[in-house]
Amino acid sequence: AASKLFLDNGYGNVSMDAIASMAGVSKRTVYNHFPSKEQLFSEIVKDIWAEFGVPEMVYREGADIKRDLADYAAKSLQMLRSERFTKLLRLVMGESGRFPELKTVYSENGIRSLLNSVGDYLQSTGKPIGDIPLAAQQYLGMVKEALFWPVLLGILPMPSPERDRYVIEDCTEKFARLY
């Protein structure tokens, strides 16, 4: 109930009373489970990320690192483009000015897991990468800047699967040459 209310109406427009009413329980019951609206929203963010299952990356000796990175980027992009995730991101972007805690909740319970997965993978390859968190951010940033943000913002139409593959392969090749 709370998830639908937040994603449809925004964080600031949803009260614990409305959540209780939609769930068919008392306000006290909601507060017994979630002491604050922020904590409830945090659990919703965790649930949304868990629903998609952040793709995992595990390095195995002799693995094709470029293939692993490209596969991870494609899976991550699929998750980021989903309607439910897009609603969550727009909510956080739209309301974080009035509710700064939303950025922290979103970051700690969501997007950092993508960066950490890539960073952990890069670390496990044994490649001499000086700043692994920055490298992970650069790789995912290249992919998202080309294929996610322009679509989300309505600047470009949704690319074809062929274009997605081309851009991901190109980003991966450039990243591999850099590192």
Side-chain angles (χ1 to χ4, degrees), residues 41-51 105 109-110:
F41 183 74
S42 176
E43 289 303 314
I44 289 168
V45 171
K46 288 178 193 176
D47 287 348
I48 289 172
W49 278 87
E51 176 182 312
V105 166
N109 297 298

Side-chain angles (χ1 to χ4, degrees), residues 68-96:
D68 287 351
L69 286 169
D71 289 347
Y72 187 82
K75 289 175 189 170
S76 298
L77 191 59
Q78 182 179 14
M79 177 186 68
L80 293 172
R81 285 178 173 165
S82 72
E83 181 181 352
R84 194 159 157 81
F85 182 84
T86 300
K87 281 184 171 185
L88 172 66
L89 182 58
R90 286 189 172 149
L91 182 154
V92 171
M93 289 171 56
E95 302 224 33
S96 61

